[in-house]
Structure formats: C-alpha cells, structure tokens
C-alpha cells in the first residue's frame, strides 16, 4: 500500500492558482486528492477534500468537508485505503 503525502499546492504544481490553504495529496508521486480551505462550506467545516480526476472510480464518497485540514486528510485516507485492498 502506498503512503499518502500532503504537499502544498504551490510546491506540487508549477502553475495555477492556489493559496496558503491549498494542498495536494500524493500517492506514488501522483496527485490523488486535493485538500483546501473554502469559503462556501458547511458552517464549522471549512476544509474540503476532493479526489483527483481519474482516481475516483468506484469510490464513495468522492469529496467531503471537515473542521480541520488534519480531519480532512484522515477521512480521505480512510476512503482511499479502503479501496486499495
């Protein structure tokens, strides 16, 4: 099973728009998820995680909102690892 690495979007992507609260999640050097703080989110859960295109087939949920970045990473990791078996 590959390990998941959280990396700032500014260090992961050479171009594009991002802010200090924008992260990519990598598995085997491929971006498989994005975690970012968003303004349009359920109250108390501003951190959104969403699986990257091409990595969401047969996976549910494919995105969600959590109160912290760490919680978003934990929920995504559980979803990701559940499908790796």
């Amino acid at each position: 099973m590959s390990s998941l690495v959280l990396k700032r979007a500014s260090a992961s992507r050479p171009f594009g728009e991002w802010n200090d609260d924008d992260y990519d999640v990598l598995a085997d050097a491929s971006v498989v998820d994005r975690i970012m703080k968003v303004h349009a989110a359920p109250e108390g859960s501003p951190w959104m995680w969403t699986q990257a295109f091409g990595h969401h087939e047969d996976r549910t949920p494919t995105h969600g909102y959590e109160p912290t970045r760490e919680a978003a990473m934990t929920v995504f990791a559980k979803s990701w690892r559940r499908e790796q078996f």
Side-chain angles (χ1 to χ4, degrees):
M1 180 180 306
S2 60
S3 62
L4 297 173
V5 176
L6 187 67
K7 193 171 185 179
R8 281 197 183 276
S10 59
S12 177
R13 290 181 251 143
F15 55 87
E17 293 186 30
W18 54 82
N19 61 41
D20 290 340
D21 293 322
D22 193 347
Y23 297 84
D24 290 332
V25 180
L26 291 85
D28 296 326
S30 293
V31 174
V32 296
D33 187 57
R34 185 172 177 191
I35 295 175
M36 64 195 134
K37 197 170 193 180
V38 295
H39 296 290
E43 188 170 334
S45 297
W47 287 91
M48 180 179 152
W49 64 272
T50 182
Q51 291 180 5
F53 181 77
H55 295 282
H56 54 76
E57 296 84 7
D58 300 321
R59 294 179 195 267
T60 57
T62 58
H63 69 282
Y65 298 90
E66 297 298 326
T68 65
R69 186 188 75 209
E70 294 79 9
M73 183 69 180
T74 299
V75 171
F76 166 71
K78 283 181 185 179
S79 172
W80 180 257
R81 291 192 173 111
R82 182 177 57 239
E83 297 295 330
Q84 296 297 305
F85 296 107

